[in-house]
Amino acid sequence: MQKAVLILRALVSLFGIALIVLGALFWANRALTLIPLHMLLGVLFVLCLWGLVALGFYARLRAPLPLIVLIWSLIVPALGVEQVRLLAGPHRLLIQWVHLLVGLIAMGIGHGLARRISGAWRAVRYPGSSPSAHSSR
Ligand code: HEM
């Protein structure tokens, strides 16, 4: 369980950074031929979030975080596939910022969920230990 969380968390970071780097290139009107790669990485990114959501439910997290991540992970690709069409509209810059912000928030809540799962898992394995004894990482 811990290993799966660790791997998914690392992949969320890895794909997230690659998406931002590619996005920055697109923003500068460069490497536009790599848009399909960006979209593929976006799908993989979302699949990793779903993996964390599944582990969150499996770990029986009480908080609504897994549900929030699930809903957000549906918004990311929905917005992504509409991106090209939306960019052609009048609010190009706003759409670009919203797309980036939605992606960054997805990364943030994905990491938050991973931390919560690890914490819950540790609490099951070491029931006597106080939550403060563990860092939030
Ligand atoms: C399934 C998920 C995703 C899809 C389908 C997708 C798709 C796209 C598309 C089609 C573009 C427009 C390229 C252009 O014509 O200029 C774009 C741009 C961009 N993407 Fe994504 N994307 C996804 C996820 C993400 C995520 C998670 C991030 C950040 C963590 C991100 C960051 C960016 C940035 C910074 C740009 C350039 C600015 C912009 O056009 O909004 N994308 N993306």
Side-chain angles (χ1 to χ4, degrees):
M1 174 94 141
Q2 285 290 55
K3 204 177 259 181
V5 172
L6 207 75
I7 291 170
L8 287 171
R9 197 176 173 186
L11 288 176
V12 164
S13 292
L14 199 76
F15 292 142
I17 291 167
L19 285 162
I20 292 168
V21 170
L22 284 173
L25 289 172
F26 304 154
W27 209 319
N29 221 9
R30 306 183 77 161
L32 295 178
T33 50
L34 296 181
I35 289 176
L37 174 65
H38 178 88
M39 293 174 85
L40 175 67
L41 290 177
V43 170
L44 294 176
F45 175 82
V46 168
L47 288 178
C48 290
L49 289 180
W50 286 354
L52 287 172
V53 168
L55 291 177
F57 284 127
Y58 179 73
R60 294 175 192 273
L61 290 189
R62 253 174 288 142
L65 192 56
L67 207 63
I68 292 171
V69 175
L70 179 62
I71 292 168
W72 203 263
S73 70
L74 296 175
I75 295 173
V76 173
L79 201 71
V81 293
E82 284 293 298
Q83 187 72 357
V84 176
R85 199 178 59 80
L86 291 171
L87 285 176
H91 307 294
R92 187 180 170 85
L93 193 63
L94 177 71
I95 299 296
Q96 287 178 317
W97 277 108
V98 168
H99 182 72
L100 174 60
L101 203 68
V102 166
L104 288 176
I105 291 173
M107 285 176 79
I109 56 178
H111 279 285
L113 177 58
R115 276 200 303 271
R116 293 285 298 277
I117 299 167
S118 297
W121 186 247
R122 271 195 300 261
V124 169
R125 290 190 71 179
Y126 311 106
S129 61
S130 74
S132 59
H134 306 299
S135 80
S136 58
R137 290 174 184 273

